[in-house]
């Protein structure tokens, strides 16, 4: 760390002058650097060939010279290896690293470990160092199949090079290449021994040793030439030549573990790459931007270099803050900085060119408009001159016009006569034409029938005719078709006579057919078909009405049954029926019908055609007469025409003049109109033209800020992005880099049209999502999206749909896909996109070249080498990676390669989405309208942008005079008109959107509530079990899709009603309860109340009823107050903790109105103490009226319930849980506090074949029986069960695959043991095509953070916890473990009694855990295997004792149960004693007596051993046990229930605090930093003075020892103890003082805010003690533990006071010692025993023989008068589980609700066992109770101080079961 390096430098700076003198110190103040690559290249004198530069290790000539040589080697390296070229900036730190690496690998056996985050330059500098040293540099290429064998092959090649060929080799090995820990084992072996076991076979070793023979003989002439010596020579040379350069990241979680596992790997030369300092960043920036053309001065460019460096530093600092606040890892690496520089160059060029193009266009456009304006002025003058000429010409033309008018009058008269005659002729012609048209129409009507007839003929084939000919018995319908044909063609038929005929299965009377007589003859003719065609063409008009009448019986049909007189329900000759008999018959049938229809139409047309011929002849004669009249008229008109020609000429002249004037006027008007229309643009462009230079100038800083945002801000949430961007802008201003004070990020990078397109593609419209989309589309690196809700995934799939649809199987994949390499190759070569889903914390190293874009150019082609294979690369290729993890921990290396973007939905963003979802279900038309409107707006916006662009482009690109180009003028005018039209549409759309949004806003409360519920579900994923520290919240993970499903159910199933406000209320109530039930089902019992409370409070905060400060005060209460700094507690019945809570609540302002509701509560309690104490002592104070405040609480319906909750939590913390339940009920609904159960049948109904059920297990729970019972009802029994574990994944896979097809049920038990299969199960369920709908998958699993999130997000989660209580426990035992068969194994009453006793004991020891430390010091997981082992033992024991008449050996039973079976789990001696007490109490002969009860106290229910032979009788007896257990049945006092409730409440509060981000909770708008700084300064002002070791050492030298001995100073043990305590306390004081100052300075920004300081800041904000105050770096405790900051600080000042008093006044004033105040209390007692032993030196006491002896004094320490001669008085202890009766000096039962009682002073001394016995102390009839004294209420061996004997009238067993002990602290 930097601070460690600075510390070493500081120590050296102090050490050198002191020990080596100032001269030598000054000479070595500056580090002298050495290297061996400074010499110039030398050439062979004879051949002239290059022989390289001599490698001489010598001091650097100068820094510039070394850099120059390094750059020279870099250039040569790039020339030698163009595919691996490196563009490096060798700033000072890089040069230092290069020289260190170079020195290391130049030494024999020199290997290095380069430690730094990814992108620091470790590999690049290692390669360059290897090249400068002339080494062969090697690095393995990772592939998906790379394994141990591949590594061995690479190592063999290196060993041969280094050992056999004597080449120097540098082997670069990174942690990304450690595919298995075995790789490091091989490295460890080589670095330790030079060998890798199994790398070479013996014959290969001998061969390699033999190859070195010549060199061996030359170098080792003194050694014998044998294989052993030669192999040793080979190994020595190998180790000398093979240099391993390890490149590791310190943030890799495995890094510290590897340091322990592979010591040889970590004993190489370790070189830490610290984050690049700002100087280095500036150097890099200047190197890359120095030659880049930027429009600014040299000074401004220098400032830009500094600015880019400061951006990196700002973000690096912010990552620490972000982790402390949000617990999310973000890394900034040097590679990120290089991306910033690259992106800056790219964006600056684009934006600079954009401004230049705009400027050129605008300036040209303005010039064109100016020219047009000048042209208009010239036109006005020309128009005036034209007007005068026109007046003369107009006079001449008018005279000519008069003459022509007279002559034309004469011609008109003649023309009138001719025209009348012509009109008559034309009228007649029109009449004839009309008649002709009518006749043609009638004819046209007939023609379709003729065509139908022809078509019918054409449909008949020769084959059909042939079939008819050979058909001797044709169907009746065929016969009648031919009859019809005979009639039509007027051929013979038989005489008419009746007969019975069957057609279409119906037989009726009809005419006899003529088929055999005539028709068959016609059919037999060869010309049959041609005759038909001939008839249709030539003889069709021969058909007459008689023929048609004869055909009537065959063709008539009417749809109306009443009018249809035919014998069948169809025509006799029905084509469709005839077609069934014969294809020819159908065609003939149609032919007959069509010809009849033709006749009907044709008979109307013929008369009309005849009449038409006569009329046309008459018309022809009339037209001849008309022709003569017209000839005469033509002559007259010819004369008039000459006059007209003259007039026309005059008028043309006039017209030309008028047109010329009009054109000029039109030109002027058009130009004026255009100039007027473009006046807005003219003004805007004029204004823009003034700003272009300024915009160009300010691009320098603007682009920097925007680029920094895009490159760095992706992983941060919305709040931190805003903070960073504000910091970027402020830093730009501070450094005076040209730039705007505020740059609108979104509009700077994209336009509204693009945003609209993204919205149509499915991107949410909130600002965060738009920023994310910008980063995805504009970043130079491929995006890696943190996407827990799947929004990014859906947007990418929609956006890339055209490309994905080309080959979905290749374009979408996961990292676990077997064909990933093929998918990369295909998509990269085809220029498609590749979406890699479900990325977790790492990606396959195979992707590294793709992520780094390591493009190799060969000619026009581009390639990327992936897994040693050159793959085609298309620039169109896109790569997207998405992760479903809500808080993934990406390595710095991965963060450097990708642009990490946090797509996590925000509360406002989700609210907007849910609103749209709700409206689409409630008022779909409204949402559709809005969607269509937004699409129109997007299109119109883009159109408007395009039109504006076209307007300027056309104007700019026009040639010549603008007023001359009429077409351009029209285009410009049209464009402007369209632009106005589109702008109008947009304005109209805005108005409509306002109207629609007003309607939508009515439903927003539902969306708000939905968003609140979802984010509370998400918050539950942060939950950690406060006891076991298990991340149970991981198992609570749910997807947004799961929530949306519940949201949709709520909308569908909630009550439909009007008006809208009422409907909204119904949905909100239904939704809240629905999501609560859904979530509650998957929560463990301990977390259910917490979830309800968090939901309720969040609802109130969002509604503006509560503030963050209100929640903070509820959670922290008075924990931040120092009891010593506050006024003393005036109430004896109130603890100091409650007193501090009251002071805190009296100062807090509640709600948004900042009401000091409880301001006078202390005064109120003093005035009304009796009522307040009564309320305080109530069993259920939360249900009782609050004195003095009840009326106000009832009246305030908004805050009242919360205020009641606060006062209960502050004064009676044990009732917090119950009070929270009441609060939830009052704010939401009584349903939320009612007990709920989810039947397995309901869970089954909700599940589907692709929606498994996941049971979250705790010890003793198993859903298998319930599932099997349901399976029997659903006829799915037996179910397939697989108990997961080693080798069971294959079985599970087979069972599932079979059940997919059969629809069976599969139960995967204990899936936490089969995580490998769980990882693949999601894909199997979702991607298997065919799964039977009846299939169900049931999974059981314990809490594990390795369970795949994808599976969690599709499962129905159900927690399964065994029912609590003795009754439930015993009942469970008698349902699962104890069977009738077990009871019948031994037919003896004592056997059944022992079984029940053992079962009862099993339930008692399990249930006792809930009481915390007073129950068991360590909460052991006793389980059924312990019970089973005991029952087996008891069975055997009874068999060899009771059954043979021998009494039970209770000692044996007690030992086997307490020590051997259950005792195997017990690690604490006190717990062992407790268990032994239970067995001693219940395993004795008394249990066989009728009167025996497990409870030895008076109770409504007596826990007797039930009688009976049948298990059903025993179960019935068990059912009578009370469901709620008194603590007394466990041997505990009733106060233990209070302990349990306090424990439950404190755990819930602590868990809520942990789940919340470290946000501001202060009032008055103070930030978190402000609040913490105030607290730091306040604490600093109260800090005790330092103890100076030199001073207190001298003081202790003067202190006397104990009376009666000459020891003084450091010869007295307690004086030594005092010295050690002062050292420890001073160490703590120094730590606290430095830490508080550092936090304050870090808040001010004067020192760097490190991760450790941020953690401390968060703890102080939460009123908790910073970890470094209580524990050192190794985790060892250095001070004292307290749950709150105020109590801890009080302890600090009290300890200082006590030690200072002792130091200043010696032990003569120390009448009693505060034992709690010692950090090593055991040391105090040891020192006391040493002193007493020395005082009895004459009695020859030995320290090993003396024991502690205590006497409890009858008074408190204040009343102690004298210092004892021997031993010491101690005080400050408290008793838990009982109380000390001072008058009687013995143990007594606790008083109600008093968990701890203070002990009087205790005299502690030392004595021998013999002397103690001689004292004859009276400890009661049963002997003393040997009580443990603990440092804290958390009991374990670590905190045990000593044990003391206490007098008791009751048996010590009683107090042991009570859990009685003494503690030095109550918290």
């Amino acid at each position: 760390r930097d601070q460690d390096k600075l510390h070493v430098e500081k120590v050296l700076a102090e050490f050198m002058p002191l020990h080596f003198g100032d001269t030598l110190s000054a000479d070595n103040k500056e580090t002298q650097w050495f290297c061996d690559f400074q010499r110039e290249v030398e050439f062979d004198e004879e051949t002239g060939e290059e022989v390289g530069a001599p490698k001489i290790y010598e001091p650097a000539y100068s820094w510039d010279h070394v850099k120059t040589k390094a750059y020279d080697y870099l250039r040569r390296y790039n020339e030698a290896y163009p595919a691996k070229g490196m563009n490096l900036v060798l700033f000072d730190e890089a040069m230092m690293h290069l020289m260190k690496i170079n020195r290391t690998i130049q030494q024999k056996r020199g290997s290095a470990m380069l430690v730094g985050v990814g992108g620091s330059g470790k590999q690049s500098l290692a390669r360059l160092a290897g090249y400068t040293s002339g080494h062969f540099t090697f690095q393995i290429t990772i592939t998906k199949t790379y394994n141990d064998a591949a590594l061995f092959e690479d190592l063999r090649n290196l060993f041969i090079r280094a050992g056999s060929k004597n080449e120097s080799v540098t082997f670069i090995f990174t942690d990304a290449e450690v595919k298995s820990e075995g790789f490091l084992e091989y490295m460890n072996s080589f670095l330790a021994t030079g060998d890798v076991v199994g790398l070479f076979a013996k014959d290969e070793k001998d061969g390699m040793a033999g190859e070195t023979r010549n060199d061996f003989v030359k170098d080792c002439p003194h050694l014998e030439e044998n294989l052993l010596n030669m192999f040793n020579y080979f190994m020595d040379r190998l180790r000398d030549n093979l240099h391993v350069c390890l490149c590791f990241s310190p943030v890799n979680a495995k890094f510290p573990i590897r340091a322990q596992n592979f010591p040889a790997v970590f004993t190489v030369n370790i070189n830490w790459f610290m984050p690049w300092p700002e100087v280095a960043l500036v150097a890099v920036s200047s190197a890359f931007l120095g030659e880049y053309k930027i429009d600014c001065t040299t000074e401004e460019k220098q400032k830009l270099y500094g600015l880019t460096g400061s951006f990196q530093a700002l973000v690096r600092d912010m990552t620490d803050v972000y982790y402390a606040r949000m617990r999310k890892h973000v890394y900034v690496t040097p590679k990120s900085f290089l991306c910033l520089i690259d992106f800056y160059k790219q964006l600056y060029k684009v934006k600079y060119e954009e401004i230049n193009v705009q400027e050129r266009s605008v300036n040209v456009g303005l010039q064109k408009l100016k020219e047009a304006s000048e042209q208009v002025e010239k036109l006005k003058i020309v128009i005036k001159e034209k007007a005068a000429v026109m007046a003369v010409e107009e006079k001449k033309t008018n005279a000519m016009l008069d003459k022509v008018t007279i002559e034309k009058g004469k011609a008109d008269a003649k023309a009138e006569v001719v025209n009348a005659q012509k009109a008559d002729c034309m009228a007649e012609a029109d009449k004839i034409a009309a008649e002709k048209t009518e006749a043609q129409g009638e004819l046209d009507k007939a023609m379709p029938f003729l065509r139908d007839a022809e078509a019918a003929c054409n449909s008949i084939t020769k084959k059909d005719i042939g079939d008819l000919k050979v058909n001797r018995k044709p169907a009746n319908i065929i016969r009648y078709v031919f009859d019809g044909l005979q009639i039509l063609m007027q051929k013979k038929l038989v005489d008419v006579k009746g007969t019975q005929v069957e057609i279409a299965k119906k037989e009726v009377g009809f005419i006899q057919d003529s088929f055999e007589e005539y028709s068959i003859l016609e059919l037999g003719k060869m010309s049959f078909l041609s005759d038909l065609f001939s008839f249709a063409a030539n003889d069709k008009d021969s058909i007459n009405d008689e023929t048609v009448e004869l055909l009537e019986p065959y063709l008539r049909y009417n749809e109306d049954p009443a009018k249809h007189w035919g014998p069948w329900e169809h025509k006799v000759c029905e084509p469709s029926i005839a077609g069934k008999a014969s294809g020819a018959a159908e065609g003939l049938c149609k032919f007959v019908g069509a010809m009849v229809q033709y006749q009907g139409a044709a008979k109307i047309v013929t008369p009309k055609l005849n009449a038409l011929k006569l009329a046309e002849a008459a018309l022809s004669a009339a037209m001849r007469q008309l022709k003569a009249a017209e000839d005469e008229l033509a002559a007259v008109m010819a004369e008039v025409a000459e006059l007209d020609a003259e007039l026309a000429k005059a008028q043309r002249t006039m017209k030309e003049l008028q047109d010329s004037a009009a054109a000029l006027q039109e030109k002027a008007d058009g130009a004026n109109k255009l100039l007027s229309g473009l006046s807005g643009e003219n003004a805007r462009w004029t204004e823009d033209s003034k700003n272009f230079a300024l915009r160009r100038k300010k691009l320098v800083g603007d682009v920097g800020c925007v680029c920094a945002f895009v490159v760095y801000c992706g992983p941060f949430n919305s709040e931190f992005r805003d903070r960073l961007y504000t910091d970027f802008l402020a830093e730009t201003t501070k450094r005076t880099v040209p730039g705007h004070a505020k740059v609108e990020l979104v509009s700077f990078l994209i336009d509204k049209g693009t945003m609209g397109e993204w919205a149509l593609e499915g991107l949410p419209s909130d600002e965060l999502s738009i920023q994310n989309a910008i980063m995805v589309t504009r970043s130079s690196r491929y995006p890696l999206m943190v996407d827990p809700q799947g929004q990014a995934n859906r947007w990418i799939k929609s956006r890339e749909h055209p490309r994905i649809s080309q080959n979905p199987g290749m374009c979408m994949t996961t990292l676990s896909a077997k064909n990933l390499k093929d998918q990369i190759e295909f998509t990269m070569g085809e220029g498609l996109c590749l979406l890699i889903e479900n990325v977790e914390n790492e990606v396959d190293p195979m992707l590294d070249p793709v992520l780094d874009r390591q493009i190799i150019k060969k000619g026009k082609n581009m390639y990327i080498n992936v897994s040693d294979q050159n793959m085609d690369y298309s620039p169109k290729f896109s790569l997207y990676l998405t992760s479903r993890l809500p808080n993934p921990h990406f390595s710095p290396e991965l963060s450097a390669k990708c642009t990490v973007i946090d797509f996590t939905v925000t509360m406002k963003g989700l609210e907007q989405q849910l609103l749209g979802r709700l409206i689409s279900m409630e008022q779909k038309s409204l949402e559709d309208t809005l969607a269509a409107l937004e699409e129109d707006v997007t299109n119109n916006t883009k159109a408007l942008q395009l039109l504006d662009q076209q307007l300027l482009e056309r104007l700019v690109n026009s040639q010549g005079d603008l007023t001359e180009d009429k077409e351009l003028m029209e285009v410009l005018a049209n464009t402007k008109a369209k632009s106005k039209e589109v702008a109008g549409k947009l304005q109209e759309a805005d108005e409509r959107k306002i109207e629609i949004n007003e309607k939508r806003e009515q439903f927003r409360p539902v969306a708000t509530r939905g968003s609140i519920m979802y984010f509370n579900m998400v918050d539950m994923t942060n939950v950690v079990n406060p006891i076991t520290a298990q991340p149970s919240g991981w198992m609570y993970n749910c997807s947004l899709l799961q929530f949306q499903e519940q949201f949709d159910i709520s909308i569908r199933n909630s009550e439909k009603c009007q008006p809208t406000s009422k409907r909204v209320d119904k949905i909100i109530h239904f939704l809240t309860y629905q999501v609560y039930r859904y979530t509650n089902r998957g929560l463990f019992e301990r977390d259910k109340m917490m979830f309800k409370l968090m939901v309720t409070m969040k609802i109130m905060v969002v509604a503006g009823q509560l503030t963050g400060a209100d929640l903070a005060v509820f959670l922290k209460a008075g924990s931040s107050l120092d009891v010593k700094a506050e006024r003393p507690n005036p109430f004896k019945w109130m603890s100091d903790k409650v007193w501090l809570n009251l002071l805190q609540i009296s100062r807090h302002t509640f709600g948004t109105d900042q009401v000091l509701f409880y301001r006078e509560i202390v005064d109120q309690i003093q005035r009304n103490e009796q009522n307040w104490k009564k309320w305080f002592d109530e069993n259920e104070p939360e249900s009782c009226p609050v004195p003095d405040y009840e009326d106000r609480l009832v009246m305030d319906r908004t805050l009242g319930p919360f205020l009641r909750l606060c006062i209960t939590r502050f004064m009676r913390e044990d009732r917090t849980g119950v009070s929270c339940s009441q609060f939830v009920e009052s704010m939401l609904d009584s349903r939320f506090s009612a007990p709920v159960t989810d039947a397995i049948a309901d869970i089954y109904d909700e599940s589907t074949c692709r929606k498994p059920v996941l049971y979250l297990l705790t010890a003793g729970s198993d859903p298998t029986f319930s599932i099997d019972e349901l399976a029997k009802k659903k006829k799915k029994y037996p179910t397939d069960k697989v108990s997961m574990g080693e080798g069971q994944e294959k079985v599970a896979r087979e069972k599932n695959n079979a059940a997919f097809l059969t629809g069976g049920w599969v139960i995967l038990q204990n899936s936490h043991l089969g995580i490998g299969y769980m990882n693949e199960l999601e894909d199997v369920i979702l991607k298997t095509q065919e799964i039977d709908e009846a299939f169900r998958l049931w999974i059981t699993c314990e809490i594990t953070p390795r369970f795949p999130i994808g599976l969690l997000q599709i499962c129905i989660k159900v927690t399964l916890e065994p029912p609590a209580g003795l009754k439930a426990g015993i009942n469970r035992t008698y349902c699962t473990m104890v069977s009738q068969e077990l009871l019948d194994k031994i037919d003896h009453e004592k056997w059944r009694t022992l079984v029940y006793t053992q079962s009862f004991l099993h339930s008692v020891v399990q249930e006792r855990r809930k009481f915390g430390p007073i129950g068991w010091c360590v909460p052991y997981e006793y389980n059924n295997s312990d019970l089973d082992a005991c029952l087996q033992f008891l069975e055997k024991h009874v068999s060899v004792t009771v059954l043979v008449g021998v009494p039970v050996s209770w000692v044996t039973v007690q030992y086997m149960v307490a020590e051997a079976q259950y005792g195997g789990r017990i690690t604490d001696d006190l717990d062992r004693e407790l268990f032994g007490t239970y067995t001693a109490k219940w395993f004795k002969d008394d249990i066989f007596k009728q009167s025996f009860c497990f409870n030895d106290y008076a109770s409504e229910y007596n826990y007797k051993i039930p009688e009976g032979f049948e298990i059903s009788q025993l179960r019935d007896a068990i059912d009578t046990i009370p469901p709620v257990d008194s603590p007394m049945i466990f041997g505990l006092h009733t106060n233990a229930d209070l302990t349990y409730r306090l424990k439950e409440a404190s755990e819930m509060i602590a868990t809520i605090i942990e789940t919340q981000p470290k946000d501001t909770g202060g009032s008055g708008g103070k930030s978190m930093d402000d609040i913490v700084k105030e607290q730091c300064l306040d604490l600093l002002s109260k800090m005790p003075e330092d103890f100076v070791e030199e001073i207190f050492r001298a003081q202790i030298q003067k202190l006397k020892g104990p009376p009666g001995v000459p020891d003084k100073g450091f010869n007295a043990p307690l004086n030594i103890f005092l010295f050690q305590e002062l050292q420890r306390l001073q160490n703590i004081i120094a730590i606290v003082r430095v830490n508080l100052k550092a936090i304050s300075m870090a808040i001010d920004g004067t020192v760097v805010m490190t991760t450790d300081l941020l953690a401390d800041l968060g703890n102080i904000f939460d009123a908790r003690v910073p970890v470094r105050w209580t524990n050192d770096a190794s985790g060892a405790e250095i001070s004292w533990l307290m749950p709150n900051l105020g109590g801890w600080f009080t302890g600090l000042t009290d300890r200082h006071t006590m030690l200072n008093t002792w130091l200043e006044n010696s032990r003569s004033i120390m009448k009693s010692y505060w034992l709690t105040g010692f950090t090593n209390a055991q040391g105090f007692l040891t020192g006391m025993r040493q002193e007493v032993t020395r005082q009895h030196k004459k009695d020859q006491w030995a320290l090993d023989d003396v024991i502690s002896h205590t006497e409890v004094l009858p008074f408190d320490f204040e009343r102690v008068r004298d210092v004892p001669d021997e031993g010491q008085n101690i005080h400050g202890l408290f008793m838990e589980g009982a109380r000390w009766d001072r008058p009687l000096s013995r143990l007594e039962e606790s008083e109600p609700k008093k968990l701890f009682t203070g002990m009087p002073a205790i005299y502690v001394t030392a004595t021998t066992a013999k002397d103690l016995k001689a004292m004859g102390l009276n400890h009661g009839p049963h002997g003393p109770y040997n009580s443990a004294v603990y440092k804290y209420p958390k009991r374990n061996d670590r905190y045990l101080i000593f044990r003391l004997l206490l007098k008791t009238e009751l048996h010590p067993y009683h107090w042991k079961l009570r859990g009685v002990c003494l503690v030095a602290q109550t918290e």
Side-chain angles (χ1 to χ4, degrees), residues 1773-1793:
L1773 300 182
F1774 300 87
M1775 183 175 286
E1776 183 181 16
R1779 67 182 176 88
W1780 183 254
D1781 189 321
R1782 299 190 184 198
L1784 299 176
S1785 294
R1786 69 184 186 191
L1787 283 171
E1788 290 291 348
E1789 296 288 1
S1790 299
E1791 294 177 357
K1793 297 186 180 65

Side-chain angles (χ1 to χ4, degrees), residues 144-161:
K144 212 168 182 65
T145 57
Y146 196 90
N147 54 16
D148 289 19
L151 178 64
F152 270 29
E153 186 59 37
D154 287 334
L155 287 177
R156 286 190 196 100
N157 295 330
L158 295 180
F159 275 37
I160 291 168
R161 271 184 180 272

Side-chain angles (χ1 to χ4, degrees), residues 1169-1188:
E1169 187 172 352
Q1170 185 178 355
N1171 281 337
W1172 276 99
K1173 187 176 186 306
K1174 181 183 175 186
W1175 180 84
F1176 180 80
D1177 290 334
E1178 290 284 356
N1179 286 331
E1180 298 178 358
E1182 70 282 349
S1183 301
C1184 301
V1186 179
D1188 301 318

Side-chain angles (χ1 to χ4, degrees), residues 1376-1447:
T1376 58
M1377 299 288 292
V1378 179
S1379 62
Q1380 188 66 50
E1381 182 185 354
L1382 178 69
L1383 295 176
D1384 293 343
K1385 278 187 176 181
I1386 301 176
D1387 188 13
H1388 199 286
E1389 180 61 32
K1390 287 186 177 180
W1391 162 243
R1392 289 185 285 276
T1393 299
L1394 282 169
V1395 170
Y1396 188 85
T1397 303
Q1398 180 60 56
S1399 301
F1400 191 86
L1401 172 67
H1402 181 69
S1403 292
V1404 164
V1405 297
Q1406 280 190 317
E1407 286 298 315
R1408 189 177 172 112
R1409 285 179 306 198
K1410 74 178 184 181
F1411 296 104
I1414 201 172
W1416 294 101
C1417 297
V1418 179
Y1420 306 102
E1421 290 289 338
Y1422 302 120
N1423 59 35
N1424 289 345
S1425 64
D1426 302 319
L1427 174 61
D1428 188 47
C1430 288
L1431 290 175
Q1432 287 181 28
F1433 159 72
L1434 290 172
E1435 180 191 340
K1436 293 174 183 175
H1437 189 72
V1438 171
S1439 299
V1440 298
T1441 55
V1442 175
L1443 291 185
V1444 296
V1446 178

